[in-house]
Amino acid sequence: MADLNRNRYASLLKSKMSDASFTKLIALGNERLFNFVGEYIELCEPDCGYMCDDSDADAEYIRKSALERGEETRLSRDGHTIHYDGYDDQGRAPGATKNLVSKEDLPLMKSLQAMDREVGLAEVRVILKGIMKGKEAVVKLSCEGPILSPFSIGCVQISDSFYVCHSEELLYRRGYEHFMKMENKDKFFRFVHSAGRLDARGCSIDLDKRKIYQDLDDMIVLSTNNQYAGNSVGLKKHAMRLAIRLSGKEGWLCEHMFIMAVQNEKKARATYFCGAFPSACGKTATAMLPGEKIVGDDIAYFRNIGGEFRAVNVERGIFGIIKDVNAEDDPVIFRTLQTPGHEVIFSNVLTGPDSLPYWLGMGVDNPKKGKNFAGDWSEGKRDSEGNVIPFAHSNARYTIRLNYLENIDPAYKDKNGVLVEGIVYGGRDSDTSVPIEEAPDWESGIIVKACTLESETTSATIGQEGVLAPQPMANLDFISYPIGQYFTNNIRFVEGIKNVPHIYTVNYFLKDKDGRFLTSKLAKKAWLHWAELRVHGEVGAYRTPLGYVPRYEDLKPLFRECLDEDFSQELYLELFKFRIDPWVAKLTRAIQFYQKTAPDCPEKFLSTWKSTIDKLQQAKSKYGPFIEPGKYQES
Ligand code: SPV
Ligand code: MN
């Protein structure tokens, strides 16, 4: 093993770190890690560096420092704090986010935020030079997935934001032991983050120099002049982009999916589902449905383990959208967020004069003044462009550990993950997809359902809201190798899997002609319980041109059992009528999109979309524009 005391960075690191910190770093005996820390401490020039191990004392140091430096403020309930990102730092920043790839890779990565690696690195290194002057850099090791498991990926983050480190502490497993024992000492993800210059409120000033650059093949992400967690917390979306690239090379999958277990109490059975939904389309709410069990709400790794389709939650916490979390619609999380003693970081909500957090759609009256993402706020306040500032941001968030949830599934700790039997793809449209439909098989599910998933853009991403945009697997913002290869990897992943999961699409957002949602928010429970019965072969279904939909007689009792609601035949017929024209339009958009943006999109995908359009048009001439459930016959 190399003598790290003789390493070229040893004297620099010794001068910047306490003996205790330096000893923790050197004890890992990891030259690659040591060089990484040395290189970026040299470049970013913090006044000092702090090395964390897995101790509670280090977690406490981070928590305390975030408060002392004003990056977080205590709220009145014990354990609750509030953090504000800057006014224009409230969501992922696609314009500032680039995947750095070689020149040869660039043509195939159109639409995937790709940039010439050499150019990007040169640009961001200029910004990083001296960026941490006057600050302390924290070096924190974490692990994606349970430590020392077939899924785990060790990660190191250097950041000058204690809020970012605190978020990482809540969201990810500590990784020092993992680094100590991991077999391949060279294979880990590396992240550097600096909030940059701060204003009096602790918000990043130089947003024009906000960069989130993924050096994909070197597995390093450099993130500057931002704080919003989707831009700053390395293990979240940065690691996801690196993992997607790696999974493509190694033949596994990293998906933007929750993992949850539908509980069939009558049969004493738990069945695991994973689901991909673009932001703000009901993903977290599905993951934590009351009466079911949650494993994770955002990022899943899939591996074939002994011929089984198995998944782990990469995280151990939730960075969730708080808007519309209220006692009626999301009772589990609502209660959790009101409980003193839980460690919760709220971000970008209103802090009232009572030092309590208030958010949009909370279901209670909010104070008319307080502090919010725009600073001191009172009702009617306008921003520099004259827009009225709402009392809380629509992408305001909470950060908690998963194990506070009363319906956490203990299997979230299992090193071999959970056995997945169903995959759900959910979008947001008011007039196209039925509430739930099963794909005939895996390949058709991937091509026709997963790849054509679309959503209106939302406040989770900076930019115009409400634009209908393609969202293959709800993953477009994170796919980091050519789309065609990613699609093919999804298809091929199930080769050698004994029981291939069923694929479903769901849509919670169908509206009536007056613009009202057709079902209550918790109707998703009935759809999932129907899918659970299908996975076990216990209910029949009606054929549609794209798969299978429930029969009324199977849904009616599920609505009674799951929701204690009467489900009328009239509503059933409205919900499940197959809408041909919008589906033809959707597939046409998919063809146009992939022809334009994905030069390597496999011909098979394009021909399948085209032949599906033909099939739908033939169905239209036979059945008319809407097909009543039960009427369609597959020829
Ligand atoms: C999402 O928007 O999908 C999130 C939050 O999970 S972010 O970290 O911003 O990506
Ligand atoms: Mn997400």
Side-chain angles (χ1 to χ4, degrees), residues 4 6 15 20 28 30-31 212 223 229 260 269 281 316 336 376 435 458 499 577 607 629:
L4 295 178
R6 300 164 76 95
S15 72
L28 291 161
N30 187 320
E31 192 172 8
I212 301 117
S223 169
M260 55 87 73
R269 179 168 77 197
C281 291
R316 68 158 176 186
T336 307
D376 288 326
T458 70
N499 289 310
K577 69 181 183 203
S607 61

Side-chain angles (χ1 to χ4, degrees), residues 436 504 526-534 539-541 548-550 558:
I436 185 159
Y504 299 87
W527 314 140
L528 282 176
H529 277 263
W530 178 77
E532 193 264 357
L533 293 172
R534 285 291 292 170
V539 278
Y548 299 91
V549 290
L558 286 176

Side-chain angles (χ1 to χ4, degrees), residues 428-429 431-432 454-457 465-470 586 589:
R428 174 185 276 265
D429 72 62
D431 64 359
T432 308
E454 294 179 304
S455 188
E456 288 160 8
T457 49
E465 286 184 38
V467 179
L468 198 61
K586 182 180 166 80
R589 283 193 296 273

Side-chain angles (χ1 to χ4, degrees), residues 413-428:
K413 291 189 178 153
D414 290 357
K415 289 194 196 289
N416 280 338
V418 298
L419 175 71
V420 179
E421 299 191 75
I423 305 266
V424 179
Y425 291 99
R428 174 185 276 265

Side-chain angles (χ1 to χ4, degrees), residues 13-29:
L13 290 175
K14 255 188 210 156
S15 72
K16 297 268 181 186
M17 286 181 161
S18 67
D19 286 351
S21 272
F22 186 74
T23 306
K24 283 185 240 175
L25 177 59
I26 218 155
L28 291 161

Side-chain angles (χ1 to χ4, degrees), residues 428-453:
R428 174 185 276 265
D429 72 62
S430 53
D431 64 359
T432 308
S433 303
V434 294
I436 185 159
E437 185 176 41
E438 184 182 271
D441 54 59
W442 179 263
E443 187 168 296
S444 154
I446 294 294
I447 300 178
V448 177
K449 296 195 173 309
C451 296
T452 64
L453 194 63

